[in-house]
Amino acid sequence: MKIENYFLRYAYPCAYILMQLKEITQEELDELEDTAINNREISRERLEKIFHNAFHHIGELAKKKNKDKWNLDIIRYYFHRYHNKIIDEKRGIYAQTPMMLNELSRVEVAKIIDKKDKVLVVEYLGKDMKMKNRNVHNSFVPQAKVGDHVTIHYGYAVEIVGTS
Amino acid sequence: MMCLAIPGKITKIVGDSATVDYGGEQREAKLINQDIKVGDYVVVQNKLILLKLPEEQALESIELWKKALQNED
């Protein structure tokens, strides 16, 4: 998978919020969904424009690590670690967002406990150290099965990080 | 006004399909959990109910968004 598509898989669920804030249209959201799910080509410029908040922080991270922002290790580290830290510290846009949204916005590692058609029921340890359940779309990981571990972002399983 | 960012209230359930109300606007969403019932507040993304929210937390989120959107206008 190309780095642009890897980035978009993690960022796409957040595009729903951008639509709510009128930064993108329904048509643009649909196009992003098609691009994300079918790994279609998309330019770095376009991604940086749409997800300017993410890239503000990715740029900051890349500078710290003395690497390019379009480096796979940087993008991965951002979504696996840095992104949650920003949310927890309530930096940037997260200063004003409801608690419920900040919880959904964290990238968590979750275990699949059930699969119903194209929906995965997952459980994960929340930031408050309580076990939580959530239903997520399997669009990015159609091969994932019960027992596997996946990263989740809002209502999507993004990537398989461990198989049973 | 409906989106992942705003909780909606379930007004009707038929099989695995729920009608979710967003301040007067109705949307259909797929229901997976057996323990979700009419009157519950839920968060939906792309026609799937992700989870149930405690009422107090749901109302607080709705208020915050109303304010945020008003400030924009």
mmCIF file of all heavy atoms in Angstrom, chain A residues 14-42:
data_model
loop_
_atom_site.group_PDB
_atom_site.id
_atom_site.type_symbol
_atom_site.label_atom_id
_atom_site.label_comp_id
_atom_site.label_asym_id
_atom_site.label_seq_id
_atom_site.Cartn_x
_atom_site.Cartn_y
_atom_site.Cartn_z
ATOM 1 N N CYS A 14 -12.225 10.537 10.326
ATOM 2 C CA CYS A 14 -12.268 11.891 10.864
ATOM 3 C C CYS A 14 -12.874 12.885 9.861
ATOM 4 O O CYS A 14 -13.319 13.962 10.236
ATOM 5 C CB CYS A 14 -10.845 12.298 11.223
ATOM 6 S SG CYS A 14 -10.725 13.852 12.027
ATOM 7 N N ALA A 15 -12.905 12.497 8.602
ATOM 8 C CA ALA A 15 -13.446 13.391 7.573
ATOM 9 C C ALA A 15 -14.932 13.682 7.810
ATOM 10 O O ALA A 15 -15.458 14.696 7.354
ATOM 11 C CB ALA A 15 -13.230 12.785 6.190
ATOM 12 N N TYR A 16 -15.608 12.797 8.541
ATOM 13 C CA TYR A 16 -17.019 13.035 8.885
ATOM 14 C C TYR A 16 -17.151 14.287 9.741
ATOM 15 O O TYR A 16 -18.114 15.023 9.640
ATOM 16 C CB TYR A 16 -17.592 11.833 9.648
ATOM 17 C CG TYR A 16 -17.924 10.662 8.749
ATOM 18 C CD1 TYR A 16 -16.916 9.875 8.197
ATOM 19 C CD2 TYR A 16 -19.246 10.361 8.449
ATOM 20 C CE1 TYR A 16 -17.222 8.810 7.374
ATOM 21 C CE2 TYR A 16 -19.557 9.292 7.629
ATOM 22 C CZ TYR A 16 -18.539 8.525 7.091
ATOM 23 O OH TYR A 16 -18.839 7.479 6.279
ATOM 24 N N ILE A 17 -16.169 14.493 10.603
ATOM 25 C CA ILE A 17 -16.175 15.683 11.458
ATOM 26 C C ILE A 17 -15.926 16.920 10.584
ATOM 27 O O ILE A 17 -16.548 17.956 10.762
ATOM 28 C CB ILE A 17 -15.068 15.604 12.542
ATOM 29 C CG1 ILE A 17 -15.142 14.288 13.319
ATOM 30 C CG2 ILE A 17 -15.149 16.799 13.482
ATOM 31 C CD1 ILE A 17 -16.314 14.117 14.217
ATOM 32 N N LEU A 18 -15.021 16.783 9.621
ATOM 33 C CA LEU A 18 -14.723 17.911 8.727
ATOM 34 C C LEU A 18 -15.960 18.304 7.927
ATOM 35 O O LEU A 18 -16.180 19.474 7.645
ATOM 36 C CB LEU A 18 -13.568 17.557 7.788
ATOM 37 C CG LEU A 18 -12.242 17.223 8.473
ATOM 38 C CD1 LEU A 18 -11.191 16.846 7.444
ATOM 39 C CD2 LEU A 18 -11.747 18.399 9.310
ATOM 40 N N MET A 19 -16.780 17.293 7.595
ATOM 41 C CA MET A 19 -18.007 17.600 6.865
ATOM 42 C C MET A 19 -18.973 18.359 7.778
ATOM 43 O O MET A 19 -19.605 19.323 7.364
ATOM 44 C CB MET A 19 -18.661 16.324 6.335
ATOM 45 C CG MET A 19 -19.851 16.634 5.449
ATOM 46 S SD MET A 19 -20.622 15.160 4.789
ATOM 47 C CE MET A 19 -21.476 14.551 6.234
ATOM 48 N N GLN A 20 -19.046 17.908 9.018
ATOM 49 C CA GLN A 20 -19.907 18.579 9.990
ATOM 50 C C GLN A 20 -19.491 20.045 10.148
ATOM 51 O O GLN A 20 -20.324 20.928 10.271
ATOM 52 C CB GLN A 20 -19.798 17.861 11.339
ATOM 53 C CG GLN A 20 -20.726 18.411 12.402
ATOM 54 C CD GLN A 20 -22.165 18.033 12.150
ATOM 55 O OE1 GLN A 20 -22.459 16.880 11.878
ATOM 56 N NE2 GLN A 20 -23.051 18.995 12.235
ATOM 57 N N LEU A 21 -18.202 20.272 10.108
ATOM 58 C CA LEU A 21 -17.686 21.638 10.261
ATOM 59 C C LEU A 21 -17.708 22.403 8.939
ATOM 60 O O LEU A 21 -17.186 23.501 8.837
ATOM 61 C CB LEU A 21 -16.246 21.597 10.814
ATOM 62 C CG LEU A 21 -16.099 21.041 12.232
ATOM 63 C CD1 LEU A 21 -14.638 20.819 12.566
ATOM 64 C CD2 LEU A 21 -16.737 21.970 13.257
ATOM 65 N N LYS A 22 -18.274 21.768 7.908
ATOM 66 C CA LYS A 22 -18.425 22.361 6.573
ATOM 67 C C LYS A 22 -17.084 22.631 5.889
ATOM 68 O O LYS A 22 -16.977 23.490 5.018
ATOM 69 C CB LYS A 22 -19.267 23.635 6.640
ATOM 70 C CG LYS A 22 -20.681 23.383 7.158
ATOM 71 C CD LYS A 22 -21.565 24.616 6.945
ATOM 72 C CE LYS A 22 -22.982 24.356 7.392
ATOM 73 N NZ LYS A 22 -23.215 24.732 8.799
ATOM 74 N N GLU A 23 -16.043 21.911 6.284
ATOM 75 C CA GLU A 23 -14.742 22.073 5.609
ATOM 76 C C GLU A 23 -14.708 21.265 4.314
ATOM 77 O O GLU A 23 -13.935 21.565 3.413
ATOM 78 C CB GLU A 23 -13.599 21.656 6.541
ATOM 79 C CG GLU A 23 -13.411 22.637 7.687
ATOM 80 C CD GLU A 23 -12.118 22.425 8.454
ATOM 81 O OE1 GLU A 23 -11.219 21.745 7.955
ATOM 82 O OE2 GLU A 23 -12.033 22.959 9.573
ATOM 83 N N ILE A 24 -15.511 20.188 4.263
ATOM 84 C CA ILE A 24 -15.646 19.420 3.029
ATOM 85 C C ILE A 24 -17.132 19.130 2.782
ATOM 86 O O ILE A 24 -17.944 19.233 3.699
ATOM 87 C CB ILE A 24 -14.851 18.075 3.046
ATOM 88 C CG1 ILE A 24 -15.341 17.155 4.171
ATOM 89 C CG2 ILE A 24 -13.361 18.303 3.168
ATOM 90 C CD1 ILE A 24 -14.815 15.726 4.063
ATOM 91 N N THR A 25 -17.471 18.775 1.548
ATOM 92 C CA THR A 25 -18.866 18.483 1.208
ATOM 93 C C THR A 25 -19.132 16.981 1.290
ATOM 94 O O THR A 25 -18.202 16.183 1.387
ATOM 95 C CB THR A 25 -19.169 18.937 -0.234
ATOM 96 O OG1 THR A 25 -18.349 18.158 -1.118
ATOM 97 C CG2 THR A 25 -18.896 20.411 -0.441
ATOM 98 N N GLN A 26 -20.425 16.623 1.223
ATOM 99 C CA GLN A 26 -20.814 15.211 1.202
ATOM 100 C C GLN A 26 -20.161 14.494 0.010
ATOM 101 O O GLN A 26 -19.684 13.371 0.137
ATOM 102 C CB GLN A 26 -22.346 15.097 1.117
ATOM 103 C CG GLN A 26 -22.866 13.665 0.990
ATOM 104 C CD GLN A 26 -22.755 12.858 2.284
ATOM 105 O OE1 GLN A 26 -23.270 13.258 3.310
ATOM 106 N NE2 GLN A 26 -22.075 11.718 2.219
ATOM 107 N N GLU A 27 -20.106 15.171 -1.136
ATOM 108 C CA GLU A 27 -19.510 14.574 -2.336
ATOM 109 C C GLU A 27 -18.023 14.289 -2.113
ATOM 110 O O GLU A 27 -17.519 13.249 -2.520
ATOM 111 C CB GLU A 27 -19.669 15.496 -3.560
ATOM 112 C CG GLU A 27 -21.091 15.638 -4.092
ATOM 113 C CD GLU A 27 -22.032 16.392 -3.151
ATOM 114 O OE1 GLU A 27 -21.573 17.327 -2.449
ATOM 115 O OE2 GLU A 27 -23.223 16.033 -3.101
ATOM 116 N N GLU A 28 -17.344 15.223 -1.474
ATOM 117 C CA GLU A 28 -15.917 15.018 -1.197
ATOM 118 C C GLU A 28 -15.717 13.866 -0.214
ATOM 119 O O GLU A 28 -14.776 13.077 -0.347
ATOM 120 C CB GLU A 28 -15.297 16.298 -0.629
ATOM 121 C CG GLU A 28 -15.047 17.352 -1.694
ATOM 122 C CD GLU A 28 -14.551 18.659 -1.089
ATOM 123 O OE1 GLU A 28 -15.338 19.292 -0.358
ATOM 124 O OE2 GLU A 28 -13.399 19.033 -1.347
ATOM 125 N N LEU A 29 -16.638 13.763 0.755
ATOM 126 C CA LEU A 29 -16.554 12.673 1.728
ATOM 127 C C LEU A 29 -16.728 11.320 1.021
ATOM 128 O O LEU A 29 -15.973 10.375 1.267
ATOM 129 C CB LEU A 29 -17.623 12.839 2.818
ATOM 130 C CG LEU A 29 -17.638 11.758 3.898
ATOM 131 C CD1 LEU A 29 -16.429 11.868 4.817
ATOM 132 C CD2 LEU A 29 -18.914 11.814 4.724
ATOM 133 N N ASP A 30 -17.720 11.248 0.129
ATOM 134 C CA ASP A 30 -17.968 10.008 -0.624
ATOM 135 C C ASP A 30 -16.747 9.638 -1.472
ATOM 136 O O ASP A 30 -16.384 8.469 -1.580
ATOM 137 C CB ASP A 30 -19.194 10.157 -1.537
ATOM 138 C CG ASP A 30 -20.484 10.309 -0.740
ATOM 139 O OD1 ASP A 30 -20.473 10.005 0.470
ATOM 140 O OD2 ASP A 30 -21.495 10.750 -1.317
ATOM 141 N N GLU A 31 -16.145 10.654 -2.073
ATOM 142 C CA GLU A 31 -14.971 10.409 -2.903
ATOM 143 C C GLU A 31 -13.803 9.904 -2.051
ATOM 144 O O GLU A 31 -13.071 8.991 -2.450
ATOM 145 C CB GLU A 31 -14.597 11.711 -3.622
ATOM 146 C CG GLU A 31 -13.663 11.489 -4.794
ATOM 147 C CD GLU A 31 -13.007 12.789 -5.240
ATOM 148 O OE1 GLU A 31 -13.636 13.861 -5.114
ATOM 149 O OE2 GLU A 31 -11.853 12.714 -5.697
ATOM 150 N N LEU A 32 -13.657 10.498 -0.855
ATOM 151 C CA LEU A 32 -12.587 10.057 0.044
ATOM 152 C C LEU A 32 -12.801 8.611 0.473
ATOM 153 O O LEU A 32 -11.860 7.829 0.587
ATOM 154 C CB LEU A 32 -12.515 10.954 1.283
ATOM 155 C CG LEU A 32 -11.869 12.318 1.120
ATOM 156 C CD1 LEU A 32 -11.992 13.118 2.418
ATOM 157 C CD2 LEU A 32 -10.397 12.204 0.733
ATOM 158 N N GLU A 33 -14.074 8.253 0.692
ATOM 159 C CA GLU A 33 -14.396 6.877 1.099
ATOM 160 C C GLU A 33 -13.977 5.892 -0.003
ATOM 161 O O GLU A 33 -13.314 4.890 0.263
ATOM 162 C CB GLU A 33 -15.892 6.734 1.379
ATOM 163 C CG GLU A 33 -16.258 5.308 1.767
ATOM 164 C CD GLU A 33 -17.738 5.097 2.054
ATOM 165 O OE1 GLU A 33 -18.565 5.898 1.579
ATOM 166 O OE2 GLU A 33 -18.051 4.122 2.734
ATOM 167 N N ASP A 34 -14.350 6.228 -1.228
ATOM 168 C CA ASP A 34 -14.007 5.376 -2.366
ATOM 169 C C ASP A 34 -12.481 5.263 -2.514
ATOM 170 O O ASP A 34 -11.938 4.178 -2.716
ATOM 171 C CB ASP A 34 -14.645 5.969 -3.634
ATOM 172 C CG ASP A 34 -14.271 5.180 -4.875
ATOM 173 O OD1 ASP A 34 -14.562 3.975 -4.908
ATOM 174 O OD2 ASP A 34 -13.661 5.767 -5.794
ATOM 175 N N THR A 35 -11.802 6.393 -2.363
ATOM 176 C CA THR A 35 -10.341 6.411 -2.471
ATOM 177 C C THR A 35 -9.704 5.576 -1.362
ATOM 178 O O THR A 35 -8.778 4.804 -1.601
ATOM 179 C CB THR A 35 -9.815 7.863 -2.384
ATOM 180 O OG1 THR A 35 -10.499 8.643 -3.361
ATOM 181 C CG2 THR A 35 -8.328 7.942 -2.646
ATOM 182 N N ALA A 36 -10.239 5.726 -0.149
ATOM 183 C CA ALA A 36 -9.667 5.018 1.005
ATOM 184 C C ALA A 36 -9.902 3.515 0.895
ATOM 185 O O ALA A 36 -8.973 2.723 1.068
ATOM 186 C CB ALA A 36 -10.278 5.554 2.298
ATOM 187 N N ILE A 37 -11.127 3.113 0.593
ATOM 188 C CA ILE A 37 -11.457 1.684 0.584
ATOM 189 C C ILE A 37 -10.839 0.969 -0.613
ATOM 190 O O ILE A 37 -10.376 -0.155 -0.493
ATOM 191 C CB ILE A 37 -12.983 1.487 0.676
ATOM 192 C CG1 ILE A 37 -13.435 1.896 2.089
ATOM 193 C CG2 ILE A 37 -13.387 0.030 0.386
ATOM 194 C CD1 ILE A 37 -14.907 1.971 2.295
ATOM 195 N N ASN A 38 -10.819 1.622 -1.762
ATOM 196 C CA ASN A 38 -10.301 0.965 -2.961
ATOM 197 C C ASN A 38 -8.854 1.333 -3.297
ATOM 198 O O ASN A 38 -8.380 1.041 -4.398
ATOM 199 C CB ASN A 38 -11.232 1.262 -4.140
ATOM 200 C CG ASN A 38 -12.633 0.747 -3.865
ATOM 201 O OD1 ASN A 38 -12.813 -0.428 -3.555
ATOM 202 N ND2 ASN A 38 -13.623 1.623 -3.929
ATOM 203 N N ASN A 39 -8.168 1.956 -2.329
ATOM 204 C CA ASN A 39 -6.754 2.333 -2.513
ATOM 205 C C ASN A 39 -6.498 3.094 -3.805
ATOM 206 O O ASN A 39 -5.538 2.826 -4.523
ATOM 207 C CB ASN A 39 -5.861 1.087 -2.476
ATOM 208 C CG ASN A 39 -5.691 0.568 -1.073
ATOM 209 O OD1 ASN A 39 -5.574 1.353 -0.131
ATOM 210 N ND2 ASN A 39 -5.707 -0.738 -0.918
ATOM 211 N N ARG A 40 -7.383 4.036 -4.116
ATOM 212 C CA ARG A 40 -7.182 4.833 -5.323
ATOM 213 C C ARG A 40 -6.139 5.917 -5.068
ATOM 214 O O ARG A 40 -5.855 6.271 -3.929
ATOM 215 C CB ARG A 40 -8.511 5.469 -5.756
ATOM 216 C CG ARG A 40 -9.525 4.438 -6.178
ATOM 217 C CD ARG A 40 -10.656 5.083 -6.931
ATOM 218 N NE ARG A 40 -11.848 4.259 -6.858
ATOM 219 C CZ ARG A 40 -12.027 3.128 -7.527
ATOM 220 N NH1 ARG A 40 -11.088 2.682 -8.328
ATOM 221 N NH2 ARG A 40 -13.139 2.435 -7.401
ATOM 222 N N GLU A 41 -5.639 6.440 -6.177
ATOM 223 C CA GLU A 41 -4.577 7.443 -6.070
ATOM 224 C C GLU A 41 -5.111 8.779 -5.555
ATOM 225 O O GLU A 41 -6.200 9.207 -5.929
ATOM 226 C CB GLU A 41 -3.937 7.633 -7.441
ATOM 227 C CG GLU A 41 -2.534 8.153 -7.332
ATOM 228 C CD GLU A 41 -1.724 7.848 -8.583
ATOM 229 O OE1 GLU A 41 -1.647 6.665 -8.985
ATOM 230 O OE2 GLU A 41 -1.184 8.812 -9.148
ATOM 231 N N ILE A 42 -4.344 9.403 -4.693
ATOM 232 C CA ILE A 42 -4.692 10.739 -4.203
ATOM 233 C C ILE A 42 -3.380 11.478 -3.930
ATOM 234 O O ILE A 42 -2.400 10.870 -3.489
ATOM 235 C CB ILE A 42 -5.599 10.663 -2.943
ATOM 236 C CG1 ILE A 42 -6.032 12.058 -2.488
ATOM 237 C CG2 ILE A 42 -4.944 9.883 -1.791
ATOM 238 C CD1 ILE A 42 -7.232 12.082 -1.543
#
